[in-house]
Amino acid sequence: MYRQGDVLIVPVTEEAVPSHVPDAPKEPRDARGRLVLALGEVTGHAHAVLGRGELVREPGPFGPFLLHLPEGGRVVHEEHAAITLPQGWFRVIRQREYVPGSVRLVAD
């Protein structure tokens, strides 16, 4: 399990990946060629993956991402140390915070 700020990255087995994921639409890379896991609304900083791979958003307002890294990769952020990930599948979960009457994603 890996954590960088408000992003949690959990390895999952190939068998645990839902059958629809390989054919699901992939998240686009940003202008710098990164897979953005979370974008700082205030700072503009991003938790992003460098390297070959694909990112699929699961349905729902807080739906986690599924990240596939066939050769491994690095998670970078301007204010955190980089994290090296091995090859494989990962579930990416954004931290949430309670707001009276609702729940929202943590904002940078």
Side-chain angles (χ1 to χ4, degrees):
M1 201 174 323
Y2 307 87
R3 178 174 289 284
Q4 188 184 68
D6 57 352
V7 175
L8 178 65
I9 303 168
V10 181
V12 295
T13 64
E14 183 99 25
E15 297 78 29
V17 175
S19 61
H20 73 275
V21 169
D23 299 321
K26 310 302 186 267
E27 290 290 306
R29 290 180 177 268
D30 71 358
R32 295 167 56 186
R34 307 173 303 171
L35 293 170
V36 176
L37 306 178
L39 182 62
E41 297 82 5
V42 176
T43 64
H45 296 163
H47 297 277
V49 175
L50 305 178
R52 282 190 54 230
E54 297 177 328
L55 188 61
V56 176
R57 182 187 303 267
E58 293 192 278
F62 300 116
F65 289 109
L66 283 170
L67 172 66
H68 182 233
L69 298 174
E71 299 171 0
R74 286 179 9 118
V75 182
V76 297
H77 186 278
E78 292 82 352
E79 297 174 340
H80 299 282
I83 297 172
T84 300
L85 298 175
Q87 70 180 40
W89 284 93
F90 302 87
R91 184 169 307 278
V92 180
I93 303 165
R94 296 270 315 269
Q95 183 172 335
R96 298 175 203 132
E97 63 185 346
Y98 174 75
V99 177
S102 69
V103 175
R104 69 177 182 191
L105 293 173
V106 172
D108 250 349

